[in-house]
Amino acid sequence: MSAISVRVPAKVNLQLAVGPLRDDGYHDLVNVFHAVSLFDEVTAAEPLDGDPSAAPLGVRVEGDLTGEVPVSDDNLAVRAARALADRAGRSYRADLLIRKSIPVAGGMAGGSADAAAALVACNELWGLGLPVEDLMEIAADIGSDVPFALLGGTAVGTGRGERLAPLETAGVFHWVFALADGGLSTPRVYGECDRLREEAGVAAPTPAVSEALLAALREGDAKSLGQALSNDLQPAALALRPSLAGTLALGREHGALGAIVSGSGPTCAFLAESAERAHELAALIKDVDGCRAVVTAHGPVPGATVAG
């Protein structure tokens, strides 16, 4: 095959419980991931013959806010492809094309999704035939959110989020995402979370999954799920980007079942009772200050999948 394309979803965090800072610089987490129908597509292709000086793993980016995505060795998709080649013990070449629809630096794991897609695409392109268990191990070394982008669906992550257990989920949930102007640095948000806790004299709790959240997922109860959404990083994201408080309030005023900052932000996620209500809510909040776009999606959806 000369090219393989893989579609990979964004995620929203239904619960993000942040525990103490560990010796390795990460926090202990309980992270309930939910894959939603906003997709990037990564195509891995055999390089054209010609320039022997060209990088063995090149990357191009098309789509939304492409100027904010690195096209160097820092790109997570490039790092993933290189890690896969290293695991196979051979040298490989590929040109990677990333078509972006997932928000950049928006708390929806767009970079991690691209890394997962690159693993799947290059595994196919190079004919390695590595099982998903091996890809999951490589993914965990690249970043905490990368394994979930391979898995998809709904799952709870522990450790720093990379140890995953699928969760029983009934039905389909409908979402509205308010995409903010500009991104937020994930390390900066975690640092602000630590600072706010220290300032308040509050010790970081041991993270635990919400039983109410698990029950709502099992029963497919959108109203209960909306009430159970939680994110320990939300106060930090609001401190760094105060305008997000107004966005969340507007969604609640217009009937969202739940409103939350997704991950480290600044994307705001709203749970709606139906697809129709999601489209109505999107229309009502699309002009809020600091919001560059509003999109609707549903979940759960599968993880990284070779495009048919």
Side-chain angles (χ1 to χ4, degrees):
M1 298 182 187
S2 60
I4 298 290
S5 294
V6 173
R7 194 172 76 154
V8 63
K11 61 83 178 168
V12 60
N13 299 95
L14 307 181
Q15 179 189 3
L16 181 48
V18 180
L21 187 65
R22 309 185 323 189
D23 292 340
D24 63 2
Y26 292 96
H27 293 76
D28 276 322
L29 301 177
V30 164
N31 200 344
V32 179
F33 297 100
H34 183 69
V36 296
S37 59
L38 299 177
F39 299 97
D40 281 359
E41 185 176 271
V42 176
T43 299
E46 295 179 358
L48 296 175
D49 293 334
D51 184 3
S53 67
L57 291 169
V59 62
R60 294 178 292 129
V61 184
E62 297 177 352
D64 195 29
L65 295 179
T66 57
E68 298 182 22
V69 181
V71 288
S72 64
D73 288 351
D74 292 333
N75 187 286
L76 286 183
V78 173
R79 289 172 53 189
R82 182 178 296 108
L84 180 66
D86 289 344
R87 172 65 70 92
R90 295 173 59 184
S91 296
Y92 291 98
R93 299 181 66 212
D95 286 333
L96 302 177
L97 172 61
I98 302 172
R99 296 181 176 90
K100 294 293 299 177
S101 293
I102 301 173
V104 178
M108 301 189 76
S112 296
D114 297 340
L119 287 175
V120 174
C122 290
N123 190 42
E124 292 287 327
L125 179 71
W126 296 334
L128 300 178
L130 292 183
V132 66
E133 293 80 10
D134 285 9
L135 298 184
M136 292 288 279
E137 288 182 11
I138 299 168
D141 288 338
I142 298 166
S144 300
D145 290 344
V146 182
F148 177 71
L150 286 172
L151 179 66
T154 306
V156 59
T158 54
R160 53 183 169 83
E162 84 286 6
R163 298 199 300 265
L164 295 173
L167 292 177
E168 181 183 352
T169 305
V172 176
F173 297 100
H174 299 278
W175 298 90
V176 178
F177 296 101
L179 314 182
D181 286 320
L184 275 177
S185 161
T186 297
R188 187 181 178 200
V189 175
Y190 273 97
E192 182 69 4
C193 177
D194 292 337
R195 188 193 69 79
L196 290 174
R197 285 173 168 173
E198 183 178 358
E199 184 178 76
V202 176
T206 300
V209 68
S210 164
E211 293 299 327
L213 184 80
L214 296 181
L217 289 169
R218 285 194 303 267
E219 296 163 8
D221 185 338
K223 183 176 180 180
S224 295
L225 180 61
Q227 294 170 347
L229 298 175
S230 64
N231 181 2
D232 286 354
L233 292 182
Q234 185 162 303
L238 294 180
L240 295 171
R241 189 73 63 84
S243 62
L244 297 180
T247 303
L248 293 171
L250 185 62
R252 294 188 189 100
E253 289 169 10
H254 287 300
L257 300 178
I260 194 170
V261 172
S262 180
S264 58
T267 299
C268 291
F270 305 95
L271 184 60
E273 62 184 349
S274 65
E276 181 181 10
R277 283 295 299 136
H279 287 292
E280 292 172 356
L281 178 59
L284 290 168
I285 66 173
K286 65 182 179 65
D287 295 323
V288 65
D289 288 344
C291 178
R292 63 178 177 83
V294 175
V295 296
T296 61
H298 64 272
V301 298
T305 304
V306 175

